[in-house]
Amino acid sequence: METTKTLLAYCIYLPIAIALTIYVSKTLFKNSLVYMTDIFKGREEIAKATNKLFETGFYLLNIGFALLIMEMYLYTDSYQVMIEELSSKIGGFSIYLGIMLFINLYLFFRGKRKASQPKVEERIVFRG
């Protein structure tokens, strides 16, 4: 009976983890295109390509992590234990997604700040 509950828990966990990842990714990368366009000084095709690469990496990291932490041991025949384990897994994954969101925002703001700084030209002066 524990195997049935474990499989049920996996069938609940995976769609929720994937849906959360898709929701956060779509929200982040739809809105980050503005920052990317600014960072790349209006060169929209480079901004879109870079944004898409960031999005792909975001999916790989987060879905990979969701699969990595998926393991559950439900030794008792109790739905209460299953729900508690699911809430722990989904809650932990949600916190992880939030941290990843803020890391990406930090990177976008940092890129925007770096792009807006004037370039300092280094000049070599030869004195002979």
Side-chain angles (χ1 to χ4, degrees), residues 28 31-32 34-36 38-39 54 101-117:
L28 176 64
N31 295 305
S32 69
V34 174
Y35 294 104
M36 287 294 192
D38 189 39
I39 290 168
F54 267 105
L101 173 77
F102 286 119
I103 288 171
N104 275 284
L105 285 174
Y106 169 76
L107 292 173
F108 292 138
F109 286 130
R110 185 171 177 223
K112 184 177 178 345
R113 188 174 14 130
K114 290 271 189 191
S116 66
Q117 290 177 348

Side-chain angles (χ1 to χ4, degrees), residues 62-73:
N62 294 310
I63 291 175
F65 186 73
L67 292 170
L68 186 67
I69 66 167
M70 185 172 82
E71 189 174 27
M72 290 183 232
Y73 297 103

Side-chain angles (χ1 to χ4, degrees), residues 1-2 5-6 8-9 73-85:
M1 192 64 160
E2 294 85 19
K5 288 219 177 38
T6 302
L8 178 61
Y73 297 103
L74 303 173
Y75 293 116
T76 61
D77 191 22
S78 166
Y79 283 104
Q80 177 184 353
V81 171
M82 183 183 77
I83 290 170
E84 289 169 355
E85 182 74 17

Side-chain angles (χ1 to χ4, degrees), residues 86-104:
L86 278 170
S87 67
S88 176
K89 291 285 184 182
I90 293 168
F93 185 67
S94 295
I95 291 168
Y96 166 79
L97 274 177
I99 291 168
M100 291 301 290
L101 173 77
F102 286 119
I103 288 171
N104 275 284

